[in-house]
Amino acid sequence: GNGFLIRLTEGDWTDTHCQWSPNSDWIVFSSTRDKPTDAPPLDNGLDPGFFAVFLVNVNKPSVVVRVVGSGNRLAGHLNHPFFSPDGNSIVVTGDLAAVSSEPISLPLFVHSLRPYGDIFTVDIDPKNIEKNKDVEKFKRITHSRYENSTASWTKFSTEDPNAAWNFKIKI
């Protein structure tokens, strides 16, 4: 077709895991742009982490808002952000909380193995990007020492006991 590319972000950091908002005005993504100044430059040849979740306005790429920040003392990872179908929430995997029900709680490693990956949701304002800066309230969905990968949302109802979708759910 006659498509063209528009660069929305640029800098000496890693921007990854991007996804369009349902209204196509914003893109949510993970980035290391706000990592602490004393963060190591590399970890075994890889980016040391400190990923946070950001929104960028597609029509004004200079408007970038950090929704949820990374930890300052640990190489935090907030990755795989994904909008809910109504645009009112974002689901993300991350190390926002230590593991308290397992025998080992958030061990520190000297290499790139990451003990992260619980699933969290954060409610956002889908109409005003500025109101989503540094949201402090989030919901923890999973509680595990294992890494959960990309989470997403479903439009299927789980309330109809006869829906085919419910036969896939084990309670």
Side-chain angles (χ1 to χ4, degrees):
N2 294 330
F4 57 93
L5 296 175
I6 298 174
R7 186 175 194 152
L8 296 177
T9 65
E10 183 175 358
D12 188 23
W13 51 70
T14 301
D15 290 338
T16 188
H17 301 147
C18 55
Q19 192 233 351
W20 288 95
S21 66
N23 65 9
S24 300
D25 289 341
W26 305 339
I27 292 177
V28 65
F29 63 100
S30 295
S31 178
T32 60
R33 64 183 56 218
D34 280 351
K35 67 183 171 186
T37 54
D38 61 347
L42 294 174
D43 178 4
N44 259 5
L46 301 172
D47 192 303
F50 300 99
F51 282 88
V53 175
F54 291 84
L55 292 170
V56 61
N57 186 321
V58 176
N59 299 311
K60 285 184 174 178
S62 61
V63 178
V64 178
V65 171
R66 183 179 66 201
V67 180
V68 182
S70 173
N72 285 330
R73 288 173 291 168
L74 297 172
H77 279 259
L78 297 172
N79 285 314
H80 313 292
F82 208 90
F83 280 101
S84 62
D86 62 7
N88 292 324
S89 300
I90 295 171
V91 64
V92 63
T93 56
D95 58 359
L96 293 171
V99 177
S100 60
S101 66
E102 301 289 344
I104 299 174
S105 181
L106 200 61
L108 297 177
F109 295 95
V110 295
H111 50 78
S112 294
L113 176 65
R114 308 284 194 220
Y116 78 99
D118 274 318
I119 298 172
F120 299 85
T121 61
V122 59
D123 293 335
I124 61 166
D125 183 329
K127 296 185 174 133
N128 185 339
I129 195 169
E130 298 292 342
K131 287 187 178 177
N132 299 307
K133 184 175 183 181
D134 293 325
V135 176
E136 293 183 11
K137 186 177 179 184
F138 50 86
K139 296 175 193 161
R140 188 174 185 178
I141 305 300
T142 62
H143 196 103
S144 171
R145 66 179 170 166
Y146 303 104
E147 179 179 348
N148 291 289
S149 189
T150 307
S152 188
W153 302 85
T154 180
K155 291 183 181 180
F156 298 107
S157 170
T158 57
E159 296 186 16
D160 178 358
N162 299 313
W165 176 257
N166 284 324
F167 295 118
K168 305 280 185 200
I169 300 174
K170 306 277 190 235
I171 296 178

